Amino acid sequence: MGDGEAKGATEFAAEYPELAARMVKALSQADEAETPWPVSTSFVASHDIVAIIGNLPGSDEDSDETSSEVIDSVIDAAVSRGLIHSAREVGEDGLAIAVARCCRGGSIGCYIAVDDHEIRPEDAEVALPGCVLVSLPCDRVEQLADALDDVDVPYAALGQLGGDHIIVAGVPSNETYVDLALSEL
């Protein structure tokens, strides 16, 4: 299997216990996140949708990176319209740590679905400068998607908030890769 190919669900699951341990270790360090937006950096409402905004590695988007100024202005507008409950820059932490920090800070779990054929375990820890993790009510997803589409900013819905665990499951395998209780963080 080449480096660029996605791993099968079984190989993927085998690497995730180490990811969960690294998440716990990373969260033992201080969280110095600040946000330029007047919303929480932590998840705040059960049943909200979790999404990522910005260029993701391996996405089908154009190779031209979306400028952080465009992303900032769209998020500013979305916040002022009440579309977003929380926003956190992913940055150097990578997606897995950013999700865990948002969950721990808000004392709320989440269910994240990943495509077994497109996501690799190492992608969960890749630095994503310029990407922003957001949560928003289900009934506001279409409005945010329209705003992002209008300015060609890539985004992806990742899952939903609720419960007291961080669960990452594969689609279509339905295999659970991470099941981490918030009490372990």
mmCIF file of all heavy atoms in Angstrom, residues 148-184:
data_model
loop_
_atom_site.group_PDB
_atom_site.id
_atom_site.type_symbol
_atom_site.label_atom_id
_atom_site.label_comp_id
_atom_site.label_asym_id
_atom_site.label_seq_id
_atom_site.Cartn_x
_atom_site.Cartn_y
_atom_site.Cartn_z
ATOM 1 N N LEU A 148 -20.677 29.936 3.037
ATOM 2 C CA LEU A 148 -19.348 29.434 2.685
ATOM 3 C C LEU A 148 -19.250 29.148 1.184
ATOM 4 O O LEU A 148 -18.228 29.443 0.552
ATOM 5 C CB LEU A 148 -19.025 28.179 3.499
ATOM 6 C CG LEU A 148 -18.876 28.414 4.999
ATOM 7 C CD1 LEU A 148 -18.866 27.094 5.753
ATOM 8 C CD2 LEU A 148 -17.623 29.218 5.298
ATOM 9 N N ASP A 149 -20.305 28.589 0.608
ATOM 10 C CA ASP A 149 -20.328 28.325 -0.835
ATOM 11 C C ASP A 149 -20.226 29.621 -1.637
ATOM 12 O O ASP A 149 -19.578 29.658 -2.687
ATOM 13 C CB ASP A 149 -21.601 27.573 -1.232
ATOM 14 C CG ASP A 149 -21.589 26.112 -0.796
ATOM 15 O OD1 ASP A 149 -20.493 25.572 -0.525
ATOM 16 O OD2 ASP A 149 -22.689 25.525 -0.719
ATOM 17 N N ASP A 150 -20.867 30.677 -1.150
ATOM 18 C CA ASP A 150 -20.855 31.966 -1.857
ATOM 19 C C ASP A 150 -19.450 32.505 -2.059
ATOM 20 O O ASP A 150 -19.191 33.235 -3.024
ATOM 21 C CB ASP A 150 -21.702 33.008 -1.113
ATOM 22 C CG ASP A 150 -23.192 32.763 -1.259
ATOM 23 O OD1 ASP A 150 -23.600 31.946 -2.125
ATOM 24 O OD2 ASP A 150 -23.959 33.384 -0.494
ATOM 25 N N VAL A 151 -18.532 32.194 -1.155
ATOM 26 C CA VAL A 151 -17.158 32.697 -1.262
ATOM 27 C C VAL A 151 -16.148 31.567 -1.477
ATOM 28 O O VAL A 151 -14.951 31.745 -1.291
ATOM 29 C CB VAL A 151 -16.770 33.551 -0.020
ATOM 30 C CG1 VAL A 151 -17.547 34.848 -0.002
ATOM 31 C CG2 VAL A 151 -16.965 32.780 1.267
ATOM 32 N N ASP A 152 -16.650 30.400 -1.878
ATOM 33 C CA ASP A 152 -15.805 29.234 -2.193
ATOM 34 C C ASP A 152 -14.879 28.810 -1.057
ATOM 35 O O ASP A 152 -13.714 28.475 -1.279
ATOM 36 C CB ASP A 152 -14.979 29.492 -3.461
ATOM 37 C CG ASP A 152 -15.858 29.617 -4.693
ATOM 38 O OD1 ASP A 152 -16.852 28.867 -4.783
ATOM 39 O OD2 ASP A 152 -15.557 30.468 -5.551
ATOM 40 N N VAL A 153 -15.385 28.843 0.170
ATOM 41 C CA VAL A 153 -14.612 28.366 1.315
ATOM 42 C C VAL A 153 -15.009 26.917 1.572
ATOM 43 O O VAL A 153 -16.188 26.612 1.760
ATOM 44 C CB VAL A 153 -14.877 29.224 2.572
ATOM 45 C CG1 VAL A 153 -14.211 28.605 3.797
ATOM 46 C CG2 VAL A 153 -14.379 30.643 2.364
ATOM 47 N N PRO A 154 -14.031 25.995 1.572
ATOM 48 C CA PRO A 154 -14.359 24.589 1.820
ATOM 49 C C PRO A 154 -14.752 24.334 3.271
ATOM 50 O O PRO A 154 -14.291 25.027 4.181
ATOM 51 C CB PRO A 154 -13.072 23.845 1.469
ATOM 52 C CG PRO A 154 -11.997 24.858 1.415
ATOM 53 C CD PRO A 154 -12.629 26.203 1.273
ATOM 54 N N TYR A 155 -15.603 23.343 3.465
ATOM 55 C CA TYR A 155 -16.069 22.973 4.800
ATOM 56 C C TYR A 155 -16.507 21.518 4.757
ATOM 57 O O TYR A 155 -16.738 20.950 3.693
ATOM 58 C CB TYR A 155 -17.227 23.863 5.254
ATOM 59 C CG TYR A 155 -18.423 23.774 4.331
ATOM 60 C CD1 TYR A 155 -19.440 22.850 4.558
ATOM 61 C CD2 TYR A 155 -18.515 24.581 3.204
ATOM 62 C CE1 TYR A 155 -20.515 22.741 3.698
ATOM 63 C CE2 TYR A 155 -19.582 24.486 2.344
ATOM 64 C CZ TYR A 155 -20.584 23.565 2.586
ATOM 65 O OH TYR A 155 -21.636 23.451 1.720
ATOM 66 N N ALA A 156 -16.631 20.939 5.938
ATOM 67 C CA ALA A 156 -17.138 19.570 6.049
ATOM 68 C C ALA A 156 -17.828 19.405 7.389
ATOM 69 O O ALA A 156 -17.292 19.825 8.417
ATOM 70 C CB ALA A 156 -15.997 18.561 5.930
ATOM 71 N N ALA A 157 -19.009 18.822 7.364
ATOM 72 C CA ALA A 157 -19.680 18.444 8.609
ATOM 73 C C ALA A 157 -18.995 17.203 9.127
ATOM 74 O O ALA A 157 -18.693 16.285 8.358
ATOM 75 C CB ALA A 157 -21.164 18.194 8.363
ATOM 76 N N LEU A 158 -18.708 17.165 10.423
ATOM 77 C CA LEU A 158 -17.974 16.045 11.008
ATOM 78 C C LEU A 158 -18.838 15.156 11.888
ATOM 79 O O LEU A 158 -18.571 13.962 12.003
ATOM 80 C CB LEU A 158 -16.809 16.569 11.855
ATOM 81 C CG LEU A 158 -15.777 17.423 11.135
ATOM 82 C CD1 LEU A 158 -14.763 17.956 12.139
ATOM 83 C CD2 LEU A 158 -15.087 16.626 10.047
ATOM 84 N N GLY A 159 -19.824 15.732 12.552
ATOM 85 C CA GLY A 159 -20.617 14.934 13.483
ATOM 86 C C GLY A 159 -21.548 15.798 14.303
ATOM 87 O O GLY A 159 -21.895 16.907 13.912
ATOM 88 N N GLN A 160 -21.912 15.268 15.473
ATOM 89 C CA GLN A 160 -22.888 15.945 16.325
ATOM 90 C C GLN A 160 -22.453 15.854 17.782
ATOM 91 O O GLN A 160 -21.825 14.891 18.210
ATOM 92 C CB GLN A 160 -24.260 15.300 16.145
ATOM 93 C CG GLN A 160 -25.378 16.065 16.801
ATOM 94 C CD GLN A 160 -26.745 15.604 16.327
ATOM 95 O OE1 GLN A 160 -26.910 14.496 15.831
ATOM 96 N NE2 GLN A 160 -27.733 16.456 16.488
ATOM 97 N N LEU A 161 -22.826 16.878 18.547
ATOM 98 C CA LEU A 161 -22.489 16.943 19.966
ATOM 99 C C LEU A 161 -23.523 16.226 20.814
ATOM 100 O O LEU A 161 -24.701 16.195 20.480
ATOM 101 C CB LEU A 161 -22.405 18.398 20.426
ATOM 102 C CG LEU A 161 -21.354 19.246 19.736
ATOM 103 C CD1 LEU A 161 -21.415 20.671 20.256
ATOM 104 C CD2 LEU A 161 -19.979 18.661 19.926
ATOM 105 N N GLY A 162 -23.061 15.680 21.940
ATOM 106 C CA GLY A 162 -23.955 15.049 22.900
ATOM 107 C C GLY A 162 -23.244 13.941 23.655
ATOM 108 O O GLY A 162 -22.219 13.414 23.223
ATOM 109 N N GLY A 163 -23.768 13.620 24.813
ATOM 110 C CA GLY A 163 -23.219 12.539 25.613
ATOM 111 C C GLY A 163 -21.990 12.953 26.395
ATOM 112 O O GLY A 163 -21.652 14.130 26.494
ATOM 113 N N ASP A 164 -21.305 11.944 26.933
ATOM 114 C CA ASP A 164 -20.119 12.225 27.744
ATOM 115 C C ASP A 164 -18.886 11.474 27.245
ATOM 116 O O ASP A 164 -17.967 11.202 27.997
ATOM 117 C CB ASP A 164 -20.396 11.894 29.219
ATOM 118 C CG ASP A 164 -20.788 10.440 29.437
ATOM 119 O OD1 ASP A 164 -20.871 9.682 28.450
ATOM 120 O OD2 ASP A 164 -21.002 10.070 30.610
ATOM 121 N N HIS A 165 -18.888 11.136 25.965
ATOM 122 C CA HIS A 165 -17.758 10.465 25.326
ATOM 123 C C HIS A 165 -17.424 11.160 24.022
ATOM 124 O O HIS A 165 -18.297 11.749 23.388
ATOM 125 C CB HIS A 165 -18.097 9.006 24.998
ATOM 126 C CG HIS A 165 -18.095 8.108 26.182
ATOM 127 N ND1 HIS A 165 -17.249 7.039 26.289
ATOM 128 C CD2 HIS A 165 -18.828 8.105 27.306
ATOM 129 C CE1 HIS A 165 -17.469 6.412 27.436
ATOM 130 N NE2 HIS A 165 -18.438 7.057 28.064
ATOM 131 N N ILE A 166 -16.170 11.061 23.614
ATOM 132 C CA ILE A 166 -15.754 11.433 22.269
ATOM 133 C C ILE A 166 -15.690 10.124 21.501
ATOM 134 O O ILE A 166 -14.892 9.243 21.838
ATOM 135 C CB ILE A 166 -14.386 12.129 22.256
ATOM 136 C CG1 ILE A 166 -14.448 13.424 23.054
ATOM 137 C CG2 ILE A 166 -13.928 12.376 20.818
ATOM 138 C CD1 ILE A 166 -13.090 14.078 23.273
ATOM 139 N N ILE A 167 -16.545 9.998 20.512
ATOM 140 C CA ILE A 167 -16.608 8.765 19.728
ATOM 141 C C ILE A 167 -16.282 9.102 18.284
ATOM 142 O O ILE A 167 -16.861 10.017 17.706
ATOM 143 C CB ILE A 167 -18.003 8.112 19.820
ATOM 144 C CG1 ILE A 167 -18.281 7.722 21.277
ATOM 145 C CG2 ILE A 167 -18.101 6.902 18.892
ATOM 146 C CD1 ILE A 167 -19.692 7.245 21.528
ATOM 147 N N VAL A 168 -15.336 8.364 17.717
ATOM 148 C CA VAL A 168 -15.003 8.479 16.310
ATOM 149 C C VAL A 168 -15.296 7.128 15.689
ATOM 150 O O VAL A 168 -14.739 6.109 16.104
ATOM 151 C CB VAL A 168 -13.512 8.853 16.107
ATOM 152 C CG1 VAL A 168 -13.180 8.941 14.621
ATOM 153 C CG2 VAL A 168 -13.181 10.156 16.818
ATOM 154 N N ALA A 169 -16.195 7.124 14.711
ATOM 155 C CA ALA A 169 -16.605 5.879 14.071
ATOM 156 C C ALA A 169 -16.431 5.988 12.568
ATOM 157 O O ALA A 169 -16.557 7.066 11.987
ATOM 158 C CB ALA A 169 -18.054 5.556 14.415
ATOM 159 N N GLY A 170 -16.154 4.851 11.947
ATOM 160 C CA GLY A 170 -15.964 4.803 10.506
ATOM 161 C C GLY A 170 -17.265 4.627 9.757
ATOM 162 O O GLY A 170 -18.206 4.012 10.241
ATOM 163 N N VAL A 171 -17.282 5.198 8.573
ATOM 164 C CA VAL A 171 -18.399 5.030 7.654
ATOM 165 C C VAL A 171 -17.799 4.537 6.349
ATOM 166 O O VAL A 171 -16.841 5.134 5.862
ATOM 167 C CB VAL A 171 -19.118 6.390 7.433
ATOM 168 C CG1 VAL A 171 -20.214 6.255 6.404
ATOM 169 C CG2 VAL A 171 -19.648 6.939 8.735
ATOM 170 N N PRO A 172 -18.221 3.463 5.785
ATOM 171 C CA PRO A 172 -19.422 2.699 6.094
ATOM 172 C C PRO A 172 -19.206 1.527 7.050
ATOM 173 O O PRO A 172 -20.151 0.815 7.349
ATOM 174 C CB PRO A 172 -19.854 2.185 4.718
ATOM 175 C CG PRO A 172 -18.566 1.958 3.998
ATOM 176 C CD PRO A 172 -17.645 3.057 4.490
ATOM 177 N N SER A 173 -18.001 1.323 7.576
ATOM 178 C CA SER A 173 -17.731 0.135 8.395
ATOM 179 C C SER A 173 -18.480 0.117 9.720
ATOM 180 O O SER A 173 -18.693 -0.931 10.295
ATOM 181 C CB SER A 173 -16.233 0.017 8.691
ATOM 182 O OG SER A 173 -15.830 1.006 9.621
ATOM 183 N N ASN A 174 -18.829 1.305 10.238
ATOM 184 C CA ASN A 174 -19.457 1.449 11.549
ATOM 185 C C ASN A 174 -18.556 0.936 12.672
ATOM 186 O O ASN A 174 -19.007 0.620 13.758
ATOM 187 C CB ASN A 174 -20.836 0.786 11.604
ATOM 188 C CG ASN A 174 -21.689 1.383 12.698
ATOM 189 O OD1 ASN A 174 -21.556 2.555 13.018
ATOM 190 N ND2 ASN A 174 -22.553 0.583 13.280
ATOM 191 N N GLU A 175 -17.272 0.867 12.395
ATOM 192 C CA GLU A 175 -16.299 0.452 13.396
ATOM 193 C C GLU A 175 -15.939 1.650 14.272
ATOM 194 O O GLU A 175 -15.718 2.752 13.778
ATOM 195 C CB GLU A 175 -15.044 -0.085 12.716
ATOM 196 C CG GLU A 175 -14.057 -0.655 13.696
ATOM 197 C CD GLU A 175 -13.034 -1.559 13.028
ATOM 198 O OE1 GLU A 175 -13.142 -1.834 11.834
ATOM 199 O OE2 GLU A 175 -12.126 -1.978 13.744
ATOM 200 N N THR A 176 -15.891 1.445 15.576
ATOM 201 C CA THR A 176 -15.529 2.517 16.500
ATOM 202 C C THR A 176 -14.016 2.569 16.618
ATOM 203 O O THR A 176 -13.381 1.592 16.999
ATOM 204 C CB THR A 176 -16.167 2.288 17.886
ATOM 205 O OG1 THR A 176 -17.580 2.274 17.719
ATOM 206 C CG2 THR A 176 -15.767 3.389 18.854
ATOM 207 N N TYR A 177 -13.443 3.732 16.291
ATOM 208 C CA TYR A 177 -11.996 3.910 16.342
ATOM 209 C C TYR A 177 -11.560 4.507 17.670
ATOM 210 O O TYR A 177 -10.517 4.171 18.192
ATOM 211 C CB TYR A 177 -11.526 4.816 15.209
ATOM 212 C CG TYR A 177 -11.826 4.266 13.833
ATOM 213 C CD1 TYR A 177 -12.386 5.053 12.852
ATOM 214 C CD2 TYR A 177 -11.537 2.941 13.510
ATOM 215 C CE1 TYR A 177 -12.652 4.550 11.596
ATOM 216 C CE2 TYR A 177 -11.792 2.441 12.262
ATOM 217 C CZ TYR A 177 -12.350 3.249 11.301
ATOM 218 O OH TYR A 177 -12.607 2.758 10.056
ATOM 219 N N VAL A 178 -12.340 5.457 18.182
ATOM 220 C CA VAL A 178 -12.048 6.078 19.465
ATOM 221 C C VAL A 178 -13.331 6.131 20.267
ATOM 222 O O VAL A 178 -14.389 6.484 19.731
ATOM 223 C CB VAL A 178 -11.509 7.526 19.297
ATOM 224 C CG1 VAL A 178 -11.379 8.215 20.639
ATOM 225 C CG2 VAL A 178 -10.179 7.541 18.567
ATOM 226 N N ASP A 179 -13.270 5.746 21.511
ATOM 227 C CA ASP A 179 -14.379 5.916 22.452
ATOM 228 C C ASP A 179 -13.726 6.338 23.758
ATOM 229 O O ASP A 179 -13.251 5.516 24.528
ATOM 230 C CB ASP A 179 -15.175 4.630 22.621
ATOM 231 C CG ASP A 179 -16.420 4.815 23.484
ATOM 232 O OD1 ASP A 179 -16.547 5.884 24.125
ATOM 233 O OD2 ASP A 179 -17.255 3.900 23.519
ATOM 234 N N LEU A 180 -13.674 7.639 23.968
ATOM 235 C CA LEU A 180 -12.924 8.220 25.077
ATOM 236 C C LEU A 180 -13.883 9.003 25.970
ATOM 237 O O LEU A 180 -14.524 9.954 25.522
ATOM 238 C CB LEU A 180 -11.839 9.145 24.514
ATOM 239 C CG LEU A 180 -10.828 9.747 25.441
ATOM 240 C CD1 LEU A 180 -10.008 8.675 26.151
ATOM 241 C CD2 LEU A 180 -9.901 10.664 24.650
ATOM 242 N N ALA A 181 -14.002 8.571 27.218
ATOM 243 C CA ALA A 181 -14.878 9.272 28.156
ATOM 244 C C ALA A 181 -14.283 10.629 28.503
ATOM 245 O O ALA A 181 -13.063 10.763 28.656
ATOM 246 C CB ALA A 181 -15.055 8.452 29.428
ATOM 247 N N LEU A 182 -15.135 11.634 28.609
ATOM 248 C CA LEU A 182 -14.654 12.964 28.987
ATOM 249 C C LEU A 182 -13.958 12.925 30.332
ATOM 250 O O LEU A 182 -13.020 13.696 30.578
ATOM 251 C CB LEU A 182 -15.809 13.967 29.028
ATOM 252 C CG LEU A 182 -16.463 14.300 27.686
ATOM 253 C CD1 LEU A 182 -17.601 15.280 27.889
ATOM 254 C CD2 LEU A 182 -15.461 14.856 26.696
ATOM 255 N N SER A 183 -14.379 12.025 31.203
ATOM 256 C CA SER A 183 -13.757 11.915 32.531
ATOM 257 C C SER A 183 -12.294 11.461 32.439
ATOM 258 O O SER A 183 -11.534 11.615 33.383
ATOM 259 C CB SER A 183 -14.547 10.955 33.412
ATOM 260 O OG SER A 183 -14.560 9.655 32.844
ATOM 261 N N GLU A 184 -11.883 10.903 31.275
ATOM 262 C CA GLU A 184 -10.498 10.472 31.084
ATOM 263 C C GLU A 184 -9.610 11.614 30.620
ATOM 264 O O GLU A 184 -8.381 11.469 30.588
ATOM 265 C CB GLU A 184 -10.437 9.346 30.056
ATOM 266 C CG GLU A 184 -11.111 8.067 30.502
ATOM 267 C CD GLU A 184 -11.047 7.000 29.422
ATOM 268 O OE1 GLU A 184 -9.927 6.709 28.950
ATOM 269 O OE2 GLU A 184 -12.108 6.472 29.055
#
